[in-house]
Amino acid sequence: MSEKTYTPGEHPDLPPPANLIGPVAWIRKNLLSTPTNIVMTVLAIWFLYEVVPAAVNWLFLDAAFTGENRDDCRAQASGACWAFISERMKLFTYGFYPIEERWRVNISFLLLIAAIVPVLFDKVPFRKFGLYFSCAFPFIAAWLLLGGYGLTPVETDKFGGFMLTLVIGVTGIAFSLPIGILLALGRQSQLPIIRVFSVSFIEFIRGVPLITLLFVASTMLNYFLPAGVTFDLLLRVLIMVTLFASAYMAEVIRGGLQAIPKGQFEAADAMGLKYWPAMRLIVLPQALKISIPSIVNTFIGLYKDTTLVIIIGLLDPLGIGRASLADTKWTGLSNEVYLFVAIFFFISCFGMARYSLYLENKLQTDHKR
Amino acid sequence: MNEATNPNPSSEDYAVVIRDMHKWYGQFHVLKDINLLVTRGEKIVVCGPSGSGKSTMIRCINRLEEHQQGHIIVDGTELTNDLKNIEVVRREVGMVFQHFNLFPHLTVLENCTLAPIWVRKMPKLEAEGIAMQYLERVKIPDQANKYPGQLSGGQQQRVAIARSLCMKPRIMLFDEPTSALDPEMIKEVLDVMIELANEGMTMLCVTHEMGFAKTVADRVIFMDGGEIIEENNPAEFFENAQHERTKLFLSQILEH
């Protein structure tokens, strides 16, 4: 080690030692750093060697993509029978929505994308108009999907499949965040009535399983309403799911609010800002930013919980899958069906998770020298 | 002390009038019978050991803390439970905190324009013009588009001062503005404060910077145990302290 010496104040920035950088260093550090690590690495390689080829064979190489029934599939190949899924694809997507009206679902889906983009990304051209459209979207979508005013009415019991998941999931997500924010602020309010209301609401909803709330929505609500008054089962489910998610959201946001230093509130007060501007401009942006991982976590939970509606007879993808499995032409294909539904949910939820990471990085403003 | 006991000082003449003010935190009597008159343009330094109530006292002036007895009249407006009055006072009183309390999610410029835009309802462009003007005065116009987290402590505190000045306040409160700073950054903040003082701003500073007190203050107030123990002009205060408690305090902080 022949260390060159420098006069004080003249020491240049030197490159790090070679054994700290490069692929070899990476492998050493991450895969082979300790004996336990070496064993784990070997085991992981063996596991991948056993599992990956088998999975690829079953999923793709030995899979049958066409066929009229299960026996067709089995005659062609030993792997998965995706013909079943492609035959039922429409059912999985639209449920029992009338075939001649399905274009309305498609348009709603496209509009949903158009409505989400300006909310998610701030560099979109004409974002302001986009956001107006996002606000109008729930009403447009409701009109398109339900009909009336010139369109053929469609009963909500025809809704099903991915479309139903999206309707419940998107409604729940879109409404639970603002309601959750209000509940979280209400819980910290100086006014006892608002505080007591918020606390009791949150604690009651959190203390009851979602399934119970869904049963209440599907059966008990009829007892409470005056005779002759009915309102739509899907609407009741939407309300229950939204309220359920709002209660969790409120607690998540409360956590974020508590992490905001008192000095931020004081600085806002000292400037003469009133309560709502102070909350909107200073406290909530920071509190929500801290809470992003937990907020998205709640969203993902809500999205997956939409499958619980199967219990009160709504046919979400899982419900469609179960119903399809009863078809005698296609018996014994539960692997394919459940895997397919799982992949659908995984893609949606993974997308949300990645967006959450992107947003966290984008909003990172401290220590970014 | 004589003027403070004057039964009927016309509050219009003074920037701040505090009369017979008491404050409690629960059972704890934190401020006891505070009387203080601040004329316009006067610079007052408040010092005292920690827990003496000096921060609490100046925080009462813009109602970050509520007093329970007595009167506080700021720029002719009495602080009561009336939210309108509190808003009026807060608009006219700027405050600089020990820990800066800049808004980390906003840029330096946005920090400065927020209150003018939302409280004074100023157009954005005008607010930005004023903000840049004050950022130049505190000598960091080049940092306007950075976030507070990217600045040094001294720079952050200067931004905090500029942010307060953007509201064109008539009174400035400083709550230990240099206590959280590294020694080499204290001077840059004090320089800005001295400049501000020379321009005639009414200032109340809680600080232990005795050099600053000597150069700038018209009056130094010493507090202990929630009471104003002694007040005097800086020369008398430092050379000829009247009370034992003051002498002890001064000997302790001037020892080094």
Side-chain angles (χ1 to χ4, degrees):
Chain A
M1 294 289 274
S2 63
E3 283 284 339
K4 196 173 178 298
T5 53
Y6 302 94
T7 48
E10 300 282 306
H11 205 303
D13 294 338
L14 300 174
N19 60 0
L20 284 182
I21 47 172
V24 176
W26 186 89
I27 288 173
R28 264 204 202 140
K29 180 165 169 265
N30 293 294
L31 300 180
L32 308 171
S33 57
T34 62
T36 324
N37 237 341
I38 295 174
V39 174
M40 296 300 279
T41 304
V42 172
L43 280 177
I45 292 172
W46 173 78
F47 180 77
L48 291 175
Y49 170 77
E50 289 288 321
V51 166
V52 171
V56 169
N57 280 341
W58 189 84
L59 284 169
F60 306 108
L61 301 181
D62 293 339
F65 293 92
T66 54
E68 290 298 307
N69 54 44
R70 181 174 182 267
D71 297 333
D72 266 6
C73 280
R74 285 290 169 267
Q76 289 173 47
S78 58
C81 177
W82 297 122
F84 179 39
I85 303 294
S86 26
E87 199 205 71
R88 295 299 167 97
M89 197 60 196
K90 291 244 155 56
L91 195 62
F92 270 116
T93 313
Y94 303 103
F96 299 100
Y97 207 84
I99 293 172
E100 64 279 11
E101 302 292 338
R102 283 181 181 170
W103 59 272
R104 282 153 52 179
V105 180
N106 293 339
I107 292 187
S108 308
F109 182 69
L110 293 178
L111 292 180
L112 170 67
I113 294 173
I116 284 180
V117 166
V119 176
L120 295 190
F121 304 102
D122 62 352
K123 297 253 158 48
V124 187
F126 308 112
R127 182 169 189 232
K128 207 168 171 194
F129 299 103
L131 288 175
Y132 288 134
F133 173 69
S134 306
C135 294
F137 171 76
F139 303 99
I140 301 173
W143 172 61
L144 276 170
L145 295 178
L146 294 169
Y149 305 103
L151 291 173
T152 320
V154 176
E155 292 298 320
T156 54
D157 55 7
K158 298 282 191 292
F159 287 24
F162 300 139
M163 169 207 166
L164 182 67
T165 301
L166 284 175
V167 167
I168 303 175
V170 170
T171 312
I173 286 173
F175 288 96
S176 65
L177 184 60
I179 298 177
I181 291 174
L182 291 180
L183 284 171
L185 292 176
R187 192 166 184 160
Q188 305 199 321
S189 170
Q190 309 281 335
L191 302 171
I193 299 176
I194 295 178
R195 195 171 58 241
V196 167
F197 171 79
S198 305
V199 172
S200 359
F201 179 90
I202 292 168
E203 297 303 343
F204 173 72
I205 298 277
R206 273 207 308 177
V208 178
L210 177 57
I211 293 180
T212 314
L213 290 177
L214 290 176
F215 276 129
V216 169
S218 76
T219 57
M220 281 177 65
L221 226 50
N222 288 336
Y223 293 109
F224 300 135
L225 293 170
V229 175
T230 54
F231 72 108
D232 191 81
L233 176 62
L234 179 61
L235 180 61
R236 287 183 256 161
V237 167
L238 287 178
I239 293 173
M240 284 304 183
V241 168
T242 306
L243 293 183
F244 187 76
S246 314
Y248 278 88
M249 197 59 71
E251 286 301 280
V252 161
I253 292 166
R254 185 166 71 104
L257 287 174
Q258 283 175 345
I260 305 299
K262 212 169 143 239
Q264 295 287 307
F265 294 87
E266 288 179 352
D269 282 346
M271 287 180 161
L273 278 179
K274 292 181 193 167
Y275 178 79
W276 285 110
M279 288 297 140
R280 194 167 73 75
L281 299 166
I282 291 160
V283 177
L284 282 176
Q286 298 183 59
L288 292 179
K289 188 182 113 183
I290 304 171
S291 319
I292 288 171
S294 318
I295 290 176
V296 175
N297 194 29
T298 310
F299 282 165
I300 290 176
L302 157 83
Y303 192 76
K304 291 189 298 182
D305 280 353
T306 58
T307 52
L308 291 174
V309 298
I310 193 174
I311 287 183
I312 54 166
L314 297 183
L315 290 176
D316 80 314
L318 213 51
I320 301 265
R322 281 172 61 100
S324 305
L325 285 173
D327 187 338
T328 45
K329 266 166 61 185
W330 299 97
T331 46
L333 294 175
S334 45
N335 286 347
E336 284 85 342
V337 168
Y338 290 131
L339 188 65
F340 175 64
V341 174
I343 289 172
F344 164 73
F345 277 101
F346 177 77
I347 291 175
S348 318
C349 296
F350 188 66
M352 286 192 247
R354 298 307 298 184
Y355 176 74
S356 140
L357 273 183
Y358 156 82
L359 200 60
E360 278 172 61
N361 285 331
K362 198 182 70 141
L363 297 179
Q364 181 83 34
T365 57
D366 37 354
H367 313 301
K368 193 179 64 183
R369 262 179 208 257
Chain B
M1 294 290 266
N2 287 335
E3 52 185 4
T5 50
N6 174 358
N8 238 339
S10 159
S11 54
E12 292 294 325
D13 303 339
Y14 294 96
V16 180
V17 178
I18 301 179
R19 247 187 295 150
D20 310 329
M21 190 261 277
H22 294 257
K23 174 172 176 62
W24 289 263
Y25 283 131
Q27 289 293 311
F28 178 50
H29 198 171
V30 56
L31 290 177
K32 300 169 183 165
D33 195 25
I34 303 290
N35 283 286
L36 179 67
L37 293 174
V38 183
T39 56
R40 294 193 197 283
E42 195 175 11
K43 287 99 188 108
I44 290 184
V45 163
V46 185
C47 59
S50 66
S52 60
K54 54 195 190 307
S55 283
T56 310
M57 183 186 79
I58 74 159
R59 286 156 61 87
C60 283
I61 295 173
N62 65 351
R63 195 66 168 195
L64 287 185
E65 304 284 352
E66 199 177 318
H67 62 282
Q68 279 89 32
Q69 236 179 63
H71 301 274
I72 301 179
I73 300 159
V74 182
D75 203 31
T77 308
E78 170 146 20
L79 282 169
T80 56
N81 283 325
D82 189 344
L83 288 175
K84 282 252 154 46
N85 284 358
I86 296 175
E87 279 162 26
V88 169
V89 166
R90 284 177 176 170
R91 245 177 281 156
E92 304 305 330
V93 178
M95 185 159 203
V96 175
F97 300 87
Q98 179 177 4
H99 295 289
F100 330 135
N101 298 352
L102 294 175
F103 305 131
H105 62 301
L106 300 176
T107 63
V108 164
L109 187 65
E110 287 166 340
N111 264 281
C112 293
T113 56
L114 189 121
I117 291 174
W118 290 93
V119 180
R120 291 242 190 261
K121 311 287 175 208
M122 197 182 276
K124 191 172 173 228
L125 275 180
E126 190 187 340
E128 284 180 349
I130 292 174
M132 284 314 292
Q133 190 186 317
Y134 282 111
L135 285 173
E136 250 155 64
R137 283 237 324 244
V138 301
K139 303 181 186 66
I140 34 176
D142 47 321
Q143 314 282 2
N145 292 312
K146 287 196 183 166
Y147 287 96
Q150 298 166 272
L151 306 185
S152 72
Q155 290 173 322
Q156 291 194 42
Q157 192 60 297
R158 284 185 282 150
V159 171
I161 295 174
R163 176 175 76 175
S164 294
L165 293 178
C166 284
M167 283 292 280
K168 306 241 160 114
R170 307 175 72 154
I171 300 162
M172 284 287 287
L173 308 175
F174 292 84
D175 188 1
E176 306 207 28
T178 55
S179 306
L181 296 177
D182 291 338
E184 42 185 349
M185 295 172 180
I186 291 178
K187 184 178 178 302
E188 65 188 51
V189 170
L190 289 181
D191 284 346
V192 169
M193 289 169 64
I194 291 169
E195 205 177 298
L196 193 62
N198 292 340
E199 286 160 22
M201 176 67 76
T202 309
M203 291 164 66
L204 283 99
C205 310
V206 173
T207 182
H208 293 135
E209 296 298 328
M210 291 303 136
F212 174 79
K214 280 175 191 159
T215 5
V216 169
D218 298 313
R219 227 184 327 157
V220 182
I221 288 176
F222 174 71
M223 289 183 71
D224 190 24
E227 291 177 277
I228 294 181
I229 303 288
E230 183 161 355
E231 55 181 307
N232 218 328
N233 63 56
E236 282 291 304
F237 181 82
F238 289 110
E239 297 309 321
N240 197 9
Q242 301 297 309
H243 293 259
E244 280 309 311
R245 188 66 196 84
T246 318
K247 285 177 193 160
L248 181 64
F249 175 77
L250 285 175
S251 72
Q252 273 162 353
I253 61 167
L254 296 177
E255 222 162 50
H256 311 287

